[in-house]
Amino acid sequence: MADTNGNIRGGAVEDGAQPRKSSWRYIGPGIVVAATGVGAGDLVATLIAGSKFGYTLMWAAVIGCLVKISLAEAAGRWHLATGRTLFDGWQSLGKWTTVYFAIYVVIWGFVYGATAMSSSALPLVALFPDGPDLKVWAIGMGLVGLVFVWFNKYAVFEKAMTVLIGVMFVVVVYVAIRVTPNLAEAFAGLVPVLPDGSLLYTLGLVGGVGGTITMAAYGYWVNAKGWTNPGWMKVMRLDNRVAYVTTGVFVVAMLIVGAELLHTTGLALTQGDKGLIDLGTILEERYGAATAKLFLVGFFATSFSSLIGVWHGVSLMFADFVGRLRGEGAGEAGVAEVATGERERSWAFRGYVLWLTFPPMALLWLDQPFGLVIVYGVLGAFFMPFLAATLLWLLNSSRTPGEWRNGWLSNVMLAAAGLLFIVLCVQQMRELPW
């Protein structure tokens, strides 16, 4: 997004210019997508896998990161190579994509809003036991996210996400070191092995952590950073790799905690985000109150970063969706102008932020919230095959300049991702209480 002086917002070069080389100083959108994509539920799933199978599934976590790198790189490459947004590409595939996205984004937002607010509230209830109850904290977190995203643009948002992911990183790695990992067994876990009963946990590790609709938002954050042409391709790819190497560190660290703290002792966690509260209790018993409180702070950073990441990123996608339906930004207008600053100030962007915040509050009064968690998982599983399949279609067609179309490796990874997420989607459907 360029200002009136021709400078890139969130970047360090003039509008239309290209970086001389890939540099760490440009990193940003990857940090945002990593912080948003890894939620508390993902960490619990990884912990439980470690508690059941020790280090045996370490290889699956590594493959999962490679799959996510391929998906996010494809989304970013489409934006930079074509000068068009992802929804613009979806529109070119037919009206069915518009119908699919419209239904999905409305239902998903309603369910996710309640899930994110509850997840952010849980560690606060544990940190302040004499304070308000879960519902009050959850409503408060939703309102804080609303105000933050409403009044701040991408540059401030990115800085906040960088702080939150820094807290997440330090806490998770500290806890993993604290439990004294068995490095020999960890390296042995890089050899692909499937213990009895581990298939679903393996698929979950490969497909679950860091894999949500926010992967599609990555291209929008790339544009918001000021990267709007193929000259930024190397920078985007470095940024994307940093994102999922960071995600990989989270996954490995939580597997270590699950293997050392839970697997060796036979302790079990509650399913869902409350499993992290259980872990905090175990950490307090083993290592003292200070370590437990530090972990809860990291739990909060993990949950709240996902909340504001969705409040911003998916709202940006929705604003582009509405704008394209109304014919805005078609033709000569560039992505830098249409997809970022103007979209952040649009009624559609702010309307979707309101949709994420207020209607889901009604779900906080459900007496049995576990069904909500299952429905959220199913909705997430429905989007990822759609994303992988449409990226395969777009990046192998004449819609993409020949230089930037998929190579064999990208095609293999995207096809594998699509098949994986279809299997996960079927499994999630089977778990529904029909």
Side-chain angles (χ1 to χ4, degrees):
M1 175 67 190
D3 62 21
T4 55
N5 296 318
N7 298 319
I8 292 292
R9 294 181 185 175
V13 297
E14 294 183 354
D15 188 20
Q18 301 173 3
R20 294 182 179 178
K21 61 180 181 179
S22 181
S23 172
W24 290 90
R25 68 192 178 97
Y26 295 123
I27 295 301
I31 296 297
V32 172
V33 78
T36 305
V38 180
D42 296 315
L43 296 186
V44 172
T46 308
L47 270 172
I48 292 175
S51 70
K52 288 182 176 292
F53 302 104
Y55 292 100
T56 308
L57 299 182
M58 188 76 75
W59 62 273
V62 174
I63 290 178
C65 290
L66 295 177
V67 169
K68 304 311 185 311
I69 286 173
S70 300
L71 277 166
E73 187 275 340
R77 177 155 44 96
W78 166 263
H79 277 247
L80 295 182
T82 66
R84 303 164 71 187
T85 66
L86 189 53
F87 185 75
D88 203 9
W90 287 338
Q91 269 191 315
S92 73
L93 300 179
K95 291 184 178 179
W96 69 274
T97 58
T98 299
V99 174
Y100 187 97
F101 182 78
I103 295 172
Y104 180 86
V105 78
V106 171
I107 298 174
W108 181 88
F110 180 63
V111 176
Y112 180 80
T115 306
M117 287 186 277
S118 295
S119 181
S120 298
L122 275 171
L124 295 176
V125 171
L127 282 167
F128 306 102
D130 297 326
D133 65 13
L134 180 67
K135 295 183 183 67
V136 175
W137 277 118
I139 291 171
M141 290 301 95
L143 294 175
V144 170
L146 167 69
V147 171
F148 178 81
V149 170
W150 192 286
F151 291 104
N152 290 301
K153 303 307 177 189
Y154 175 78
V156 177
F157 166 71
E158 182 187 291
K159 289 181 173 62
M161 295 293 273
T162 301
V163 171
L164 289 170
I165 201 171
V167 173
M168 292 164 57
F169 190 92
V170 170
V171 170
V172 170
V173 171
Y174 167 76
V175 173
I177 294 172
R178 194 82 167 83
V179 300
T180 316
N182 186 322
L183 296 180
E185 290 187 9
F187 281 112
L190 296 175
V191 178
V193 175
L194 274 178
D196 291 341
S198 67
L199 179 59
L200 294 180
Y201 291 95
T202 303
L203 291 174
L205 277 178
V206 174
V209 181
T212 68
I213 192 173
T214 53
M215 296 190 69
Y218 178 63
Y220 290 85
W221 286 323
V222 162
N223 291 151
K225 183 71 170 175
W227 306 347
T228 58
N229 58 59
W232 290 95
M233 201 70 74
K234 288 184 178 179
V235 174
M236 181 275 292
R237 284 170 169 163
L238 174 63
D239 178 74
N240 177 45
R241 289 164 189 158
V242 169
Y244 285 99
V245 167
T246 303
T247 301
V249 171
F250 291 145
V251 176
V252 169
M254 294 309 280
L255 267 176
I256 288 172
V257 174
E260 294 293 344
L261 197 61
L262 305 175
H263 180 67
T264 57
T265 58
L267 296 173
L269 295 182
T270 304
Q271 294 281 352
D273 296 349
K274 290 186 178 180
L276 293 183
I277 299 296
D278 294 346
L279 181 60
T281 302
I282 295 168
L283 286 170
E284 183 171 5
E285 293 172 353
R286 293 288 186 89
Y287 304 108
T291 297
K293 290 187 182 301
L294 181 64
F295 175 75
L296 290 172
V297 170
F299 177 5
F300 172 76
T302 301
S303 299
F304 190 66
S305 64
S306 294
L307 186 152
I308 61 173
V310 167
W311 263 230
H312 184 274
V314 183
S315 297
L316 199 58
M317 290 180 66
F318 183 78
D320 183 52
F321 163 72
V322 173
R324 301 288 165 175
L325 289 182
R326 299 178 64 187
E328 299 171 3
E332 300 83 9
V335 167
E337 178 184 352
V338 174
T340 54
E342 291 188 10
R343 292 291 190 234
E344 287 178 309
R345 294 187 294 272
S346 69
W347 67 266
F349 178 93
R350 291 178 170 175
Y352 193 74
V353 175
L354 293 172
W355 173 253
L356 285 166
T357 306
F358 289 105
M361 288 180 182
L363 298 180
L364 298 175
W365 270 263
L366 286 178
D367 294 329
Q368 300 292 332
F370 301 106
L372 181 65
V373 174
I374 294 174
V375 171
Y376 167 64
V378 171
L379 288 171
F382 263 103
F383 184 79
M384 299 305 287
F386 170 77
L387 177 62
T390 54
L391 285 172
L392 267 172
W393 191 346
L394 291 170
L395 293 169
N396 283 291
S397 71
S398 59
R399 298 171 180 83
T400 304
E403 180 184 358
W404 303 112
R405 290 177 196 167
N406 277 359
W408 69 268
L409 181 59
S410 292
N411 281 327
V412 168
M413 295 299 289
L414 288 176
L419 291 173
L420 167 69
F421 291 123
I422 289 172
V423 173
L424 286 171
C425 183
V426 171
Q427 177 58 29
Q428 292 279 10
M429 290 288 290
R430 290 176 62 187
E431 291 181 3
L432 280 175
W434 298 106

